[in-house]
């Protein structure tokens, strides 16, 4: 009989990108753009109540399943979603994530906040934060092709 437990943690990552909030937001909301920096979705329905789903992993390794539901979307400003992450048939975490897009000098300040429930010791906040930083750096590489344009607001 296994002993079940949960550990809770939160992490925040801030990044500055050389593109207006609308461009950075589009990199999250458009499945083709998102697939350039985040694992390509098997299904992608970007609307409140919509889902994003993907499965994959290293050759010969475990299969990871990301299953997200969009809870709130404010175009060019904020995305809030909840998601589960499974490794093979084992649920390893449940999270709520908020992504904020703030206009800043030179482009966009992105604030990524994830509140996590890690289940039965299968994942840790250090591992999750490390992987998220890698993905947000890939997003930065994509955003480098855009130049800052002053908004009309």
């Amino acid at each position: 009989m296994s002993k079940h437990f949960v550990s809770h943690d939160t992490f925040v990552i801030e990044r500055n990108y050389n593109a207006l909030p609308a461009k950075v937001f589009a990199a999250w909301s458009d499945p083709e753009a998102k697939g350039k920096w985040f694992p390509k979705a098997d299904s992608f329905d970007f609307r409140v109540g919509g889902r994003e789903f993907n499965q994959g992993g290293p050759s010969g390794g475990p299969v990871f399943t990301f299953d997200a539901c969009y809870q709130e979307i404010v175009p060019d400003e904020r995305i809030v979603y909840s998601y589960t992450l499974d490794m093979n048939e084992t649920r390893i975490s449940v999270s709520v994530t908020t992504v904020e897009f703030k206009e800043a000098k030179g482009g966009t300040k992105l604030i990524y906040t994830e509140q996590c429930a890690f289940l039965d010791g299968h994942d840790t906040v250090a591992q999750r934060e490390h992987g998220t930083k890698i993905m947000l750096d890939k997003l930065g590489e994509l955003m480098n092709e855009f130049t800052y344009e002053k908004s009309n607001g």
Side-chain angles (χ1 to χ4, degrees), residues 3-9 92-94 116-121 123:
K3 185 175 181 177
H4 294 285
F5 65 96
V6 61
S7 60
H8 300 271
D9 223 319
I92 63 173
S93 68
V94 179
C116 317
F118 295 109
L119 308 174
D120 302 326
D123 200 359

Side-chain angles (χ1 to χ4, degrees), residues 20-84:
L20 287 173
K23 292 280 189 189
V24 182
F25 183 87
W28 287 77
S29 62
D30 176 81
E32 187 175 317
K34 191 168 185 184
K36 293 178 181 177
W37 62 273
F38 190 82
K40 187 163 178 55
D42 298 321
S43 63
F44 189 92
D45 182 10
F46 189 77
R47 63 179 175 83
V48 173
R51 304 198 71 121
E52 181 177 350
F53 179 87
N54 70 49
Q55 285 187 313
S59 179
V63 174
F64 290 93
T65 302
F66 172 85
D67 187 1
C69 180
Y70 291 100
Q71 305 296 333
E72 183 187 45
I73 298 170
V74 179
D76 306 337
E77 293 183 27
R78 179 176 60 231
I79 303 168
V80 180
Y81 60 96
S82 55
Y83 77 93
T84 57

